[in-house]
Amino acid sequence: MMREKILYSFTAIFDSPDQVSHATEKVVEQGYTKFDVHSPYPLHGMDKAMKLPPSKLGYVALVFGLSGTLGALLSLWWVSAIDYPILIGGKPLFSFPAYVPVMFEVTVLSASIATVLAMLFFFFKLPNNAHPLHGSDYMKKVSADKYGISIQADDPKFDEASVRKLFESVHAKEINSIYWDNEELTHKHKIFEPKFLTFLLIVAIISSGTTYFTLNKLMFMLPFNWMMEQPKQSAQQESLFFSDGFGMRLPVAGTIARGYLPYQFKGQPDVAGEKLVNPIPISIESLKLGQTKFDIYCSPCHGYHAEGDSRLRGQFPNPPSLHSEKIRKWSDGRIFAVLTDGQNIMPSYTTQLSVDERWSVINYLRALQRAFNAKESDLQ
Amino acid sequence: MSSSSVEYYRKELPSKVQTIGLVLLLVGLVIIILGYIVNPARSAQNNIIGFTFVVSIAVGSLFFVAIEYLSGAVWSTPFRRVGEFLSSLIVILPFLAIPLLLNINSVFHWTHPKPADKILIGKAPYLNVQFFIFRVIVFWLIWLVFYYFITKNSRKQDQTKDQFLTTANVKLSAIFMPLFALTITFTAIDWLMSLAPHWFSTIFGVYYFSGTVLAALAAGTIFIVLLNERGYFVEEIHTDSYYSLGALLFAFTNFWAYIAFSQFLLIWYANLPEETLWFLDRWNGNWKFFSIGLLLVHFLIPYIGLLSQPSKSNPKRLVVMASVLLFAHYYDLYWLVMPNFYKDGIVFGWIELGFPILIAGLVISVFVYKSKKVNLVPIGDPKLKRGIDFRL
């Protein structure tokens, strides 16, 4: 089936760069706008002869570069000062100098990637694999040793006769017409073609296979496993260094863990009562902490107000009231000895309550005792 | 291509320029002499700024001449004489150093360390007056020797048109380059870093170098553009050469910012008292605004001013930005020197004006003097024709 060929452009071939520059100036003079000049290498001054406007690519770099700067700054500020604030090296949460290198890198990265992508896909209009000039004799010549001008047929001033006349007036060596390839114009890409599907399958198998191999096999081979095979002592491992052969070492004698001062009055509650002094001053924080801990650990047996009213309904013997004369006269240290050592069937509370929490519970207990034995003066 | 095809007619600079130069020179000299009578210590402190500024322009210009020979650059060949003229300031460097060396005790407190100051006693083998003066003289002689031979060969080429003189200068430049790196680093350490002798920064030499290159390039750019616009060079020098100058100015503006920020970032991050103290001196009181101003004049203004492509080849923009950068280098040196002495705040008075005026007069006078004796274009250089035809 023959279809009418659609004209794409008229082309002219020249022998020297001077001729093509001169011809280009003529083409511009005549008012053509949709034309292009082709040469085997960049010609100096051609952009001026073609009256090309300055490239807009710089603005792409500027806009994406600046948004990279701003994006980096905002995300660093959000991450390190708002969403997950961690103090690093005693610096303020928002420490601008530390962000500058990151902002710089992100600026360069986003500007360069955006420039390359914009250049390829926006300015060069890729992927464009069906350009009528492709494979033409004209293109073969101008990419070897000739210089050419191509005026497109969709130019508003295009007219076959006048273009031909113009080219002749500037002594073009050859004048040709380039047509759209009908097959390319009507070609429809078949997505479900077996060849394409096989190709996709092969790509999927190769990429998943290499990924599996890299992550599950390759990383365990020499020399990639050097991170795993380290000459260090693991727990429970035999030591070749120490003469007793133990890999795990005891701490230095007399070492005290942080926050765990040893209790010196075990089994001597009266001595503790004399010598221990409450180090926690009475404050609203201490009382609130004491109340919380008392309600959790003490109140099931002693009751919320320490009256010995257990909530355990006889499953555990009730303790006596803590408002008795005897306990009110006990020193804070004596009560601390009970909390620490336990007394009668009351167990030790050292694992549940830290030292400071025990003293706070005692502070709260004193407040309860005072409330039950209020004096006249307390009302004023 | 033979260089005989280049047509060059020598034009005398207007006598007005010479008068301006001499007047500035005299005014500056009078202010400096009065300053030394009224307040010798403060004048000596300004003298350090003035001396290092002239070193920047003079030795930096020689660096550009040498780097043109080494890299075989052609675009800058038509203007190379500007660099050669400016580097002749090396000859008069001793006149700027002598008044300072007479007042050495009032600026460098390592010259008389306290007996209890173990750090300064430990640094004494390097920081003592005899060795300091020895270094100043040796460095000056190195610069002078290379200035003398490189420019002599270049001048000789105007008559003989001998290509081997270019080869000889390439060899000289290759020897000069590592010596330049060492002398400029130790000049920075001796004259600027030793003002705070307890403090140290390993990047300091590079910091001064970045300012040096920028100042020499800026001074050269001002002369090149102003003279070329008035037709003192060969006819038809293309704007692509301007673009190269603008691009270099832009690149070294970024280089300075990069080095300055690297120095600041490491000290800020490590937060060691003996290092941060130097920056605290520059952040206390109204020095804070001075430091922010440094960021503006030395980086932000020239960066934005030279960012776009057309601005790098626009002669007016180039002259303005080069002037800003030249001012910025003086500002930078002031920032390096003065906070060491005046912890309470910025000092500025008529004494501070003496050296800038003198240097402006000096640069103009030296340039006029050289341009009367030597061609403004190296007409014998084999690269000249290609330099004039240079296109990006």
Side-chain angles (χ1 to χ4, degrees):
Chain A
M1 189 177 79
M2 275 294 291
R3 259 183 281 191
E4 204 190 340
K5 282 188 165 181
I6 305 167
L7 186 68
Y8 170 69
S9 73
F10 261 46
T11 60
I13 297 261
F14 299 91
D15 271 337
S16 76
D18 289 345
Q19 280 179 334
V20 81
S21 305
H22 173 69
T24 309
E25 278 159 19
K26 275 276 153 62
V27 171
V28 172
E29 249 173 53
Q30 302 266 328
Y32 294 103
T33 48
K34 293 194 167 179
F35 71 98
D36 211 349
V37 180
H38 302 96
S39 62
Y41 55 88
L43 291 177
H44 283 300
M46 186 47 80
D47 46 351
K48 239 176 231 166
M50 289 171 73
K51 298 238 163 76
L52 289 179
S55 168
K56 299 271 185 297
L57 201 53
Y59 294 103
V60 176
L62 183 72
V63 167
F64 279 87
L66 281 180
S67 47
T69 320
L70 207 65
L73 178 64
L74 284 176
S75 64
L76 283 164
W77 160 75
W78 171 255
V79 167
S80 57
I82 306 291
D83 194 36
Y84 206 94
I86 296 178
L87 275 180
I88 301 167
K91 300 279 188 270
L93 287 174
F94 179 82
S95 25
F96 185 72
Y99 301 164
V100 171
V102 182
M103 285 161 60
F104 170 74
E105 297 290 340
V106 175
T107 307
V108 173
L109 185 75
S110 56
S112 47
I113 289 179
T115 308
V116 169
L117 292 183
M119 189 175 75
L120 290 179
F121 297 109
F122 186 72
F123 291 98
F124 294 174
K125 299 189 175 69
L126 288 179
N128 185 359
N129 50 3
H131 200 278
L133 286 176
H134 279 180
S136 64
D137 286 340
Y138 169 80
M139 194 41 90
K140 281 174 193 158
K141 281 177 184 157
V142 297
S143 52
D145 61 346
K146 296 281 186 272
Y147 310 83
I149 300 180
S150 150
I151 300 180
Q152 281 165 234
D154 53 353
D155 190 294
K157 291 196 75 181
F158 187 85
D159 170 58
E160 287 193 31
S162 59
V163 169
R164 192 172 284 278
K165 209 177 133 202
L166 170 67
F167 281 160
E168 276 162 3
S169 75
V170 291
H171 313 295
K173 206 182 161 202
E174 270 177 46
I175 300 170
N176 288 309
S177 42
I178 305 276
Y179 293 94
W180 287 96
D181 190 335
N182 265 327
E183 205 181 323
E184 288 281 10
L185 279 181
T186 53
H187 184 75
K188 284 196 180 69
H189 295 283
K190 291 176 218 147
I191 290 173
F192 294 106
E193 209 178 11
K195 256 194 227 163
F196 179 66
L197 287 180
T198 322
F199 171 75
L200 271 190
L201 194 67
I202 292 171
V203 168
I205 290 170
I206 290 178
S207 55
S208 56
T210 44
T211 310
Y212 178 82
F213 174 76
T214 310
L215 295 180
N216 293 291
K217 304 279 177 231
L218 188 70
M219 301 313 279
F220 298 91
M221 292 176 187
L222 266 175
F224 305 106
N225 60 353
W226 283 353
M227 272 293 243
M228 279 180 283
E229 314 249 318
Q230 291 176 7
K232 66 168 189 193
Q233 198 74 34
S234 304
Q236 313 284 355
Q237 208 177 30
E238 189 188 354
S239 168
L240 299 172
F241 178 78
F242 294 107
S243 55
D244 59 2
F246 285 108
M248 298 167 84
R249 312 303 301 170
L250 285 171
V252 178
T255 307
I256 296 168
R258 228 170 236 273
Y260 291 90
L261 269 179
Y263 181 63
Q264 300 169 17
F265 308 105
K266 197 168 168 59
Q268 302 168 290
D270 291 327
V271 183
E274 271 173 42
K275 296 210 169 159
L276 276 178
V277 178
N278 190 342
I280 306 285
I282 291 173
S283 64
I284 193 77
E285 288 83 26
S286 164
L287 288 175
K288 280 207 166 138
L289 176 68
Q291 183 181 25
T292 315
K293 297 296 173 186
F294 184 92
D295 288 354
I296 293 170
Y297 296 112
C298 313
S299 72
C301 297
H302 288 282
Y304 283 116
H305 301 106
E307 292 170 294
D309 47 343
S310 159
R311 278 177 281 145
L312 298 175
R313 301 180 189 282
Q315 297 171 44
F316 203 76
N318 271 15
S321 164
L322 297 180
H323 299 291
S324 64
E325 188 77 17
K326 176 183 138 196
I327 295 176
R328 272 193 290 142
K329 286 210 169 135
W330 272 3
S331 71
D332 285 358
R334 181 68 184 77
I335 304 175
F336 187 84
V338 174
L339 295 185
T340 309
D341 269 358
Q343 181 176 312
N344 300 332
I345 56 168
M346 171 172 164
S348 159
Y349 274 83
T350 45
T351 48
Q352 290 94 331
L353 297 169
S354 74
V355 175
D356 287 0
E357 283 166 356
R358 270 172 261 160
W359 288 117
S360 292
V361 166
I362 292 164
N363 281 342
Y364 178 64
L365 178 62
R366 292 298 188 208
L368 285 178
Q369 288 174 341
R370 181 77 172 270
F372 273 74
N373 298 279
K375 292 175 195 135
E376 195 82 18
S377 58
D378 289 340
L379 296 170
Q380 287 164 2
Chain B
M1 249 178 267
S2 76
S3 50
S4 59
S5 58
V6 176
E7 290 196 15
Y8 167 66
Y9 304 101
R10 214 163 131 190
K11 264 166 89 177
E12 290 287 321
L13 286 170
S15 57
K16 202 176 71 186
V17 178
Q18 191 178 3
T19 323
I20 291 173
L22 283 174
V23 167
L24 286 174
L25 193 65
L26 282 175
V27 170
L29 206 59
V30 169
I31 296 177
I32 289 168
I33 291 170
L34 281 177
Y36 263 110
I37 293 168
V38 175
N39 193 342
R42 191 157 145 192
S43 295
Q45 289 147 13
N46 277 294
N47 204 333
I48 294 183
I49 307 174
F51 178 82
T52 44
F53 188 72
V54 177
V55 168
S56 288
I57 294 180
V59 187
S61 298
L62 190 59
F63 166 77
F64 271 107
V65 172
I67 213 154
E68 188 206 299
Y69 278 115
L70 270 184
S71 61
V74 292
W75 67 272
S76 59
T77 308
F79 326 119
R80 198 187 61 231
R81 279 285 149 79
V82 172
E84 290 178 20
F85 289 1
L86 289 177
S87 59
S88 66
L89 285 163
I90 289 172
V91 180
I92 49 113
L93 276 179
F95 296 105
L96 285 165
I98 285 167
L100 180 82
L101 294 176
L102 293 176
N103 289 283
I104 194 164
N105 285 329
S106 56
V107 278
F108 295 120
H109 77 81
W110 49 258
T111 56
H112 43 87
K114 290 184 188 112
D117 197 336
K118 280 189 184 158
I119 294 174
L120 285 196
I121 304 282
K123 287 182 179 183
Y126 181 82
L127 285 180
N128 59 65
V129 177
Q130 290 84 3
F131 193 30
F132 179 84
I133 293 175
F134 172 77
R135 284 193 304 264
V136 171
I137 293 170
V138 168
F139 292 172
W140 178 64
L141 285 177
I142 290 173
W143 297 332
L144 192 67
V145 164
F146 281 96
Y147 158 72
Y148 178 73
F149 284 108
I150 289 177
T151 53
K152 192 186 159 200
N153 283 342
S154 172
R155 280 201 308 274
K156 211 169 144 194
Q157 209 173 32
D158 276 9
Q159 271 98 50
T160 61
K161 304 201 191 304
D162 183 2
Q163 298 201 4
F164 287 101
L165 288 169
T166 301
T167 321
N169 267 358
V170 169
K171 283 175 189 160
L172 278 174
S173 306
I175 305 166
F176 172 67
M177 208 42 79
L179 289 174
F180 167 78
L182 288 173
T183 51
I184 212 76
T185 304
F186 282 100
T187 301
I189 292 171
D190 287 354
W191 290 86
L192 297 169
M193 202 165 99
S194 81
L195 290 167
H198 295 90
W199 180 79
F200 60 91
S201 163
T202 46
I203 206 174
F204 199 81
V206 187
Y207 179 78
Y208 177 60
F209 162 75
S210 64
T212 293
V213 174
L214 207 48
L217 191 60
T221 304
I222 295 173
F223 276 106
I224 290 165
V225 175
L226 288 181
L227 291 176
N228 191 34
E229 290 299 303
R230 286 161 183 74
Y232 280 88
F233 294 104
V234 196
E235 295 297 310
E236 276 189 69
I237 281 183
H238 202 255
T239 48
D240 284 358
S241 301
Y242 281 177
Y243 182 83
S244 302
L245 280 174
L248 266 182
L249 275 175
F250 185 66
F252 275 101
T253 302
N254 284 303
F255 181 66
W256 176 87
Y258 180 76
I259 297 298
F261 183 72
S262 301
Q263 172 169 290
F264 171 74
L265 183 73
L266 291 196
I267 290 173
W268 174 83
Y269 239 125
N271 214 5
L272 301 174
E274 71 263 31
E275 289 182 349
T276 48
L277 140 161
W278 192 82
F279 275 107
L280 281 180
D281 283 349
R282 281 149 188 79
W283 199 250
N284 285 337
N286 52 13
W287 283 116
K288 179 194 265 187
F289 305 109
F290 200 85
S291 300
I292 294 169
L294 180 69
L295 188 69
L296 281 178
V297 293
H298 217 313
F299 178 62
L300 278 179
I301 293 172
Y303 180 85
I304 294 166
L306 290 170
L307 181 63
S308 76
Q309 195 211 18
S311 66
K312 293 191 186 78
S313 44
N314 178 347
K316 265 185 198 156
R317 181 69 66 88
L318 271 181
V319 172
V320 171
M321 286 305 147
S323 310
V324 168
L325 283 167
L326 202 57
F327 169 74
H329 187 54
Y330 202 90
Y331 190 98
D332 183 20
L333 290 170
Y334 186 89
W335 181 78
L336 288 175
V337 173
M338 285 313 201
N340 290 315
F341 303 103
Y342 305 96
K343 314 257 184 213
D344 302 329
I346 304 168
V347 283
F348 190 80
W350 59 272
I351 296 180
E352 271 69 35
L353 291 173
F355 276 95
I357 294 174
L358 176 88
I359 291 165
L362 208 57
V363 172
I364 295 171
S365 304
V366 165
F367 196 91
V368 172
Y369 173 75
K370 293 299 279 185
S371 70
K372 280 185 178 163
K373 298 172 77 183
V374 186
N375 286 333
L376 199 54
V377 174
I379 49 172
D381 196 297
K383 293 186 293 183
L384 180 63
K385 183 78 176 80
R386 281 199 289 152
I388 293 164
D389 291 340
F390 172 75
R391 298 288 186 277
L392 276 174

